Amino acid sequence: MQIPIETETLPNGLRVTYSEDHVAPLVAVNLWYHVGSANEREGRTGFAHLFEHMLFQGSANVAANEHFELVQRAGGTLNGSTWLDRTNYFETVPSNQLAIALWLEADRMGRLLPAMTQQKLDTQRDVVKNERRWSVDNQPYGTWWEKLPALAFPSTHPYHHSLIGSMEHLSEASLDDVAEFFATWYTPDNAVLTIAGDFDPGEARALVRQYFGDIPRNPSPPARPDFSLPPRFGAALREVVEDDVQLPRVMVAMRIPPCGAEEWYAASVASAILGMRKGSRLYRRLVRELQVASDTSAYTFDLTKGADLLVVDATANAGITAARIEQAVHDELDAVALDGVTQPELDRALALIETDFVSSLQSASDRADTLSRFATYFGDPARVNTQPARYQRVTAAEVTAFVREWCRDTNRATLLYVPRENPANADDEEAA
């Protein structure tokens, strides 16, 4: 596999990646800003995600929601997302509509603030609050999004607080906060633009320079927060959450090396062996053999600063106690460490990882997103071409060593959801 890649950096610091592919008459525009919830200041949690919404509320030359209308009328699709380390915006449009996608992204990067109003902020603040209500507060197990990072990272760490933010902090966000956040982080020197798919490279470069070239960089970019951590927890951590759920669910997080580090690849393969689809260790043992779980999974958070997390989870079958499902997960982690990883397990995991990775690159949108990710986190979009070979160098002995070192009981943070014994407690908590 060899994905064609060309790069350039504009004088204002904007890094641009081009990847031509004329198989389909589509082109993807993908813009990553290196800012996420980890960059929020104290008392303003949820601001990065709120800002994802604000960027669709118009800019100097684009009316509110017109960004959506123009792309969709052109036959394209678009959206944005926020994570702890980054925020991204993306469009896929017919090849002849590249200019409109680039112009829309440039207009909001360079000229967002003149269009911001108190009414738009109030509207999007309410939208985000409702999103929090249905996806976190009133979603079974939904609070894991904030409880697990809060358990796994110290209170002063940038990854500790909630991505979606607290109701209180969202209510207190002001237009001045919007201006400050935008001026600090949404600048070309803190962004990566990727164009992938069917486009003319000369035309694309000219459009990028025309639309993005005059946007000023941040003259005084802030220092990044301190992400340093001890490599492991050093003790078992545990929190029990009584919630309005029908079945117990356990989540066990282990602190691991940051995404992209040499040891991280063994962690990624270990997560696939433990919980990637129905041939995985956890699924075979807990679902098929013991029949204590209805489903299991394992995955890494892919955090690139300080430390990452490897998380395994399992939801109990009806009639299985919380203590039983929790013990079953810990027992299986101990068993993998004791028995080691077999070559067939490694081969299966590597095949799944490579198949998923290569398959995703067939889509212009996903390819653009992967290139932006590698350029943002590692400064090297061409890493896409070496990723499969890097995984293939992982050995069964390395994965076994990783599990024995990093998945031991003193490096586990356990979040256990149990059905609420007294539903009246829910009303009391809501009133509080």
Side-chain angles (χ1 to χ4, degrees), residues 5-85:
I5 295 170
E6 293 186 16
T7 63
E8 68 171 334
T9 301
L10 301 191
N12 60 11
L14 178 66
R15 290 167 288 164
V16 190
T17 301
Y18 304 91
S19 180
E20 277 186 79
D21 179 358
H22 301 286
V23 170
L26 297 170
V27 61
V29 172
N30 187 292
L31 190 58
W32 271 46
Y33 292 94
H34 202 172
V35 56
S37 62
N39 302 100
E40 293 161 347
R41 62 184 174 86
E42 187 174 354
R44 288 295 180 271
T45 63
F47 213 76
H49 177 243
L50 174 63
F51 225 82
E52 176 199 321
H53 287 248
M54 295 301 294
L55 252 68
F56 287 105
Q57 296 310 300
S59 47
N61 300 295
V62 180
N65 296 316
E66 192 178 11
H67 192 124
F68 269 97
E69 293 174 10
L70 289 172
V71 171
Q72 290 173 341
R73 284 178 187 170
T77 59
L78 72 162
N79 215 328
S81 71
T82 309
W83 185 231
L84 282 68
D85 283 329

Side-chain angles (χ1 to χ4, degrees), residues 1 264-265 357 373-374 378 382-392:
M1 182 189 74
W264 179 86
Y265 287 92
F357 185 73
R373 174 160 56 94
F374 286 150
F378 310 119
R383 196 163 171 157
V384 69
N385 289 322
T386 60
Q387 192 78 343
R390 178 61 192 88
Y391 269 106
Q392 289 297 333

